[in-house]
Amino acid sequence: MTITIKEVAKAAGVAPSTVSRVIADHPSISEKTKQRVRAIMDELHYYPNYNARQLVNQRSKTVGIVLPEANDAFYQNPFFPTALRGINEAASRHQYSLLLSTGDDDISRLDHIKKMIYGKQVDGLIFLYATQNDPILSFVIDEQFPFVIIGNIDGIPMNSIDNDNIRVAKEATEYLWQQGYQRIAFIGGDEKQQFIQQRIKGVQQVLQVHHQPLSDADIYNGFPFLENEGYHIMKQIMKTNRYNGLVIGDQLVAQGVYHAILEYGLLNEYQLITFKPYEVYQNSDYIHYPYFNLHSQQLADRAMEILIEIISNKSDSKHERFVYELIAGDLVIP
Amino acid sequence: MTITIKEVAKAAGVAPSTVSRVIADHPSISEKTKQRVRAIMDELHYYPNYNARQLVNQRSKTVGIVLPEANDAFYQNPFFPTALRGINEAASRHQYSLLLSTGDDDISRLDHIKKMIYGKQVDGLIFLYATQNDPILSFVIDEQFPFVIIGNIDGIPMNSIDNDNIRVAKEATEYLWQQGYQRIAFIGGDEKQQFIQQRIKGVQQVLQVHHQPLSDADIYNGFPFLENEGYHIMKQIMKTNRYNGLVIGDQLVAQGVYHAILEYGLLNEYQLITFKPYEVYQNSDYIHYPYFNLHSQQLADRAMEILIEIISNKSDSKHERFVYELIAGDLVIP
DNA sequence: CTGAAAGCGCTTACAG
DNA sequence: CTGAAAGCGCTTACAG
């Protein structure tokens, strides 16, 4: 049998409402009563029923994590678990629960999100991806439901957190340039991802300054962020002998590229630089190439913090106000 | 204002109980009424409140995912997102929700799990790790709360799903042996993980048969499952020149090992073989070394299926009965 | 400082 | 085939 507030009340010789107030640490209850009730609660192993609490409170203290349509590139990218870790930490700090979205296709995913929201299961959402024309995103914007997106979408105001992708790409490009690698290509992947567009922009801006504009032919896109894609692209590139500096938009792709270079023994011909969600090999000589640490864990942690802030402040103003935070990246040099 | 069963009832000219029965597709309600009520539900965009439903039903149709204490080796290992994907798919198929456990240390993790269970937030749990003397595991065993563990723990009966680690390790070892690589070492990592012990056993069994037993000195353990650990171990090993075949217990470690070999140009000296959660590079020549595909996604999918089965059949028998499933691994050869 | 009562939005015997 | 009523386990005005 499960212990409810009633049992505790009876055992403590008080009313259920008093027990409820003790749980909430309500100031109007005397210390003596509080202590007595708490002792009973411990003794009886009382735990509040969240369903009842959430029903009456009309809020759940839980956040939904919105995943994209299932695909290898997302699930294999270290960004995903790293972000989850950050969200998890922040959730734990604030005693929030985390509900995962499910569903393969757009229909079932949207359906699940609607159930979560209308069913009062979540107070807010965190999007772990940012793609244009996403039906779920459109839906929550319409509904004005609280959410934070990791990444950004041009032209639509929303709460978001992101890396300063233009900036890190600029710094990356400048680094190659300063090192003397001045025949530069950008290897991206999925060009529909905003961050790829932004990183391209960064590279372009720097090369513009150096009067050596990046042409469209120097931008490699149109493939998923996977190691073997980078590997094959690089095998093509090596044939041309056109570049010596490579800015690579994704770290898995970079790994494939690096493998190709290593296999062909051309480490001295190419310098590559990429972007990673965390610092991979501290204090180790196992480092192959420079990269920017994007601190994805902290990024996601902040996403959660921002969301909680938004949920808590809700309804206190008529005008719209959005949070847009940028997380800096650090250059890590072998 | 949110639409409840009452509003629907009023609009349809029926009682709330009738609406409830329509939602449940209760056979005693006439088709006419059902259709009328459903039309109204659509029109009004009615969505059931899950908190109310779960409160009265005393079950949540949600499963808790139990994560280990936060550490790099877990979050960086591709097993984690792969397993999550499998669980997610099965959850979606069965209309189950997924709640993530949170907390850094053992205390706060156990605390959260207790809240989940006693607070009636979850009907069952899936453990994404299997370590001896885990306080959460002990707790749920004591409570007889439904759970499935991915992996296994010797000597304690519980519902579990796992790869046949001894078998894949045997096959891996036999493969090396047949290829002529007969000076064999095992590179593990975290020897407290059951699957490492099992894989060691597999290697030992095969070498025993070939009258060339694996000595303790040929087993490398005592480090986390990370690339640079494999890299450094391998650099040590290469100095000794004692082996030509390497069975590597974890794929991240294997990657580090491979890098070391590649850097030193010793690809012809060593043959390695490892175990991966998914098939990495289908139809591609970007494959470095043979490995066993452990099908972690399907494994986790099955974990969820088994759990749902257990939850549904609960209380129908007095005697204890546990499910123990093994997923086969496939050798993938470059 | 504490209690009795109403209500959150559902479901499910019990009647009819 | 359908409805009125009780109840799931909480919280929170309203009294006192």
Side-chain angles (χ1 to χ4, degrees), chain B residues 109 209 301 313:
Chain B
R109 287 171 59 240
V209 169
D301 189 310
N313 295 340

Side-chain angles (χ1 to χ4, degrees), chain A residues 309-329:
Chain A
E309 190 188 313
I310 291 165
I311 291 170
S312 311
N313 296 338
K314 244 194 117 186
S315 81
D316 70 343
S317 77
K318 256 131 252 312
H319 60 279
E320 291 190 293
R321 172 178 179 272
F322 296 99
V323 175
Y324 175 40
E325 257 187 44
L326 284 175
I327 298 286

Side-chain angles (χ1 to χ4, degrees), chain A residues 81-152:
Chain A
T82 307
L84 225 40
R85 183 175 177 178
I87 293 172
N88 203 303
E89 268 191 20
S92 171
R93 258 200 317 277
H94 292 277
Q95 308 258 61
Y96 263 73
S97 293
L98 259 21
L99 202 62
L100 280 180
S101 79
T102 64
D104 340 292
D105 54 308
D106 272 354
I107 312 278
S108 66
R109 286 171 59 240
L110 180 57
D111 187 54
H112 185 208
I113 296 291
K114 283 185 177 172
K115 284 179 182 164
M116 276 165 72
I117 294 178
Y118 293 140
K120 300 281 194 300
Q121 292 193 105
V122 294
D123 297 334
L125 297 173
I126 294 182
F127 281 75
L128 248 35
Y129 63 95
T131 45
Q132 236 115 18
N133 305 321
D134 182 61
I136 296 183
L137 192 58
S138 311
F139 170 72
V140 293
I141 291 173
D142 281 0
E143 289 285 308
Q144 305 207 45
F145 191 74
F147 74 92
V148 171
I149 191 167
I150 296 184
N152 204 34

Side-chain angles (χ1 to χ4, degrees), chain A residues 54-331:
Chain A
Q54 288 172 20
L55 176 60
V56 54
N57 284 339
Q58 301 283 36
R59 50 188 224 96
S60 59
K61 279 199 90 179
T62 108
V63 160
I65 298 178
V66 188
L67 271 25
E69 285 195 79
N71 65 291
D72 289 354
F74 179 79
Y75 277 100
Q76 292 185 18
N77 205 293
F79 165 79
F80 170 48
T82 307
L84 225 40
R85 183 175 177 178
I87 293 172
N88 203 303
E89 268 191 20
S92 171
R93 258 200 317 277
H94 292 277
Q95 308 258 61
Y96 263 73
S97 293
L98 259 21
L99 202 62
L100 280 180
S101 79
T102 64
D104 340 292
D105 54 308
D106 272 354
I107 312 278
S108 66
R109 286 171 59 240
L110 180 57
D111 187 54
H112 185 208
I113 296 291
K114 283 185 177 172
K115 284 179 182 164
M116 276 165 72
I117 294 178
Y118 293 140
K120 300 281 194 300
Q121 292 193 105
V122 294
D123 297 334
L125 297 173
I126 294 182
F127 281 75
L128 248 35
Y129 63 95
T131 45
Q132 236 115 18
N133 305 321
D134 182 61
I136 296 183
L137 192 58
S138 311
F139 170 72
V140 293
I141 291 173
D142 281 0
E143 289 285 308
Q144 305 207 45
F145 191 74
F147 74 92
V148 171
I149 191 167
I150 296 184
N152 204 34
I153 293 186
D154 266 358
I156 310 174
M158 57 183 91
N159 300 297
S160 64
I161 181 147
D162 204 356
N163 293 112
D164 190 341
N165 285 304
I166 297 185
R167 182 167 162 195
V168 288
K170 283 172 74 171
E171 291 180 19
T173 310
E174 191 60 41
Y175 175 82
L176 290 186
W177 187 274
Q178 295 307 335
Q179 298 286 311
Y181 301 96
Q182 303 187 345
R183 294 177 293 128
I184 291 176
F186 178 81
I187 302 180
D190 182 357
E191 70 279 5
K192 275 160 286 169
Q193 302 295 325
Q194 200 75 12
F195 71 89
I196 285 296
Q197 293 304 330
Q198 293 172 333
R199 289 178 193 168
I200 290 173
K201 216 170 277 176
V203 177
Q204 282 172 331
Q205 287 181 12
V206 168
L207 293 185
Q208 197 74 45
V209 169
H210 291 301
H211 305 294
Q212 200 170 109
L214 189 77
S215 86
D216 284 355
D218 303 326
I219 299 173
Y220 294 82
N221 270 322
F223 51 88
F225 299 121
L226 293 171
E227 276 186 76
N228 67 340
E229 301 288 344
Y231 179 78
H232 285 108
I233 293 277
M234 191 57 202
K235 279 171 83 169
Q236 298 303 318
I237 289 178
M238 286 188 296
K239 284 183 197 153
T240 71
N241 210 17
R242 282 171 58 191
Y243 313 107
N244 57 10
L246 304 169
V247 180
I248 305 177
D250 172 81
Q251 75 138 325
L252 274 189
V253 174
Q255 235 162 278
V257 167
Y258 179 77
H259 266 271
I261 297 175
L262 200 56
E263 263 184 47
Y264 284 67
L266 295 175
L267 275 184
N268 294 324
E269 310 286 319
Y270 292 98
Q271 176 67 284
L272 53 152
I273 188 163
T274 191
F275 312 92
K276 300 196 177 206
Y278 48 78
E279 183 152 347
V280 193
Y281 314 110
Q282 293 108 320
N283 311 318
S284 158
D285 53 347
Y286 177 48
I287 300 185
H288 315 114
Y289 38 83
Y291 63 90
F292 277 82
N293 177 0
L294 297 179
H295 300 290
S296 303
Q297 189 181 329
Q298 289 92 315
L299 186 102
D301 189 312
R302 284 298 305 155
M304 186 70 188
E305 290 278 355
I306 293 168
L307 183 57
I308 291 173
E309 190 188 313
I310 291 165
I311 291 170
S312 311
N313 296 338
K314 244 194 117 186
S315 81
D316 70 343
S317 77
K318 256 131 252 312
H319 60 279
E320 291 190 293
R321 172 178 179 272
F322 296 99
V323 175
Y324 175 40
E325 257 187 44
L326 284 175
I327 298 286
D330 301 330
L331 180 57

Side-chain angles (χ1 to χ4, degrees), chain A residues 25-84:
Chain A
D25 202 15
H26 197 99
S28 76
I29 304 291
S30 73
E31 267 312 312
K32 290 123 238 281
T33 316
K34 277 186 184 170
Q35 291 187 0
R36 189 155 43 89
V37 172
R38 284 195 187 117
I40 305 273
M41 279 173 23
D42 280 358
E43 197 182 311
L44 264 42
H45 293 296
Y46 169 76
Y47 276 80
N49 182 311
Y50 280 91
N51 301 126
R53 180 179 275 186
Q54 288 172 20
L55 176 60
V56 54
N57 284 339
Q58 301 283 36
R59 50 188 224 96
S60 59
K61 279 199 90 179
T62 108
V63 160
I65 298 178
V66 188
L67 271 25
E69 285 195 79
N71 65 291
D72 289 354
F74 179 79
Y75 277 100
Q76 292 185 18
N77 205 293
F79 165 79
F80 170 48
T82 307
L84 225 40

